[in-house]
Amino acid sequence: MIPRTDAVLHIASVTDLVAWFATTAPGHLAADGQTIIGFDRTPTHFTGDAGLVYVRVPSAEMTTWAAAPGVTILARAPYAGPGTPDTVYAALFTDAGMVALYDAVYDRTPFQADDGQGGTVTVTPPDRFGQMG
């Protein structure tokens, strides 16, 4: 079995990353219809052109991700089964600098929402924007 690594990536500009992959690693942009299938990932969470994505890639490919312009690996761990996302997020949330990049794209601040009955309810977003099983 090929060793795999799970990671949360911060992408400063998704547009720039796609352009870079188009010239340096077009296999990462392989598509099946409208969906990119070049690597295993969650849907990208966007704020503007910045994004967060949870990936599971062959461990040898982490060097490609680390070299990609505008990509910061917020946290990573060797894939070891269903508990791997817990390990990745635990590492991420212990590094204040990485949390700042994460929070700049995924807002975890509680907010008020209409409760459908004339009042409001406090909604607290989950700490994790996504993960793979």
Side-chain angles (χ1 to χ4, degrees), residues 11-106:
I11 305 164
S13 169
V14 173
T15 302
D16 290 347
L17 180 63
V18 168
W20 184 78
F21 274 135
T23 60
T24 61
H28 281 347
L29 301 177
D32 177 11
Q34 297 287 1
T35 304
I36 293 176
I37 58 170
F39 54 96
D40 293 331
R41 63 179 174 78
T42 62
T44 303
H45 181 85
F46 289 96
T47 294
D49 194 34
L52 291 174
V53 65
Y54 189 106
V55 299
R56 180 170 296 145
V57 298
S59 297
E61 288 184 17
M62 288 308 296
T63 56
T64 300
W65 286 105
V71 172
T72 302
I73 300 170
L74 300 181
R76 65 177 141 184
Y79 177 71
T84 305
D86 296 335
T87 302
V88 172
Y89 276 103
L92 190 156
F93 291 129
T94 61
D95 186 320
M98 298 306 172
V99 170
L101 283 173
Y102 184 84
D103 287 345
V105 177
Y106 178 66

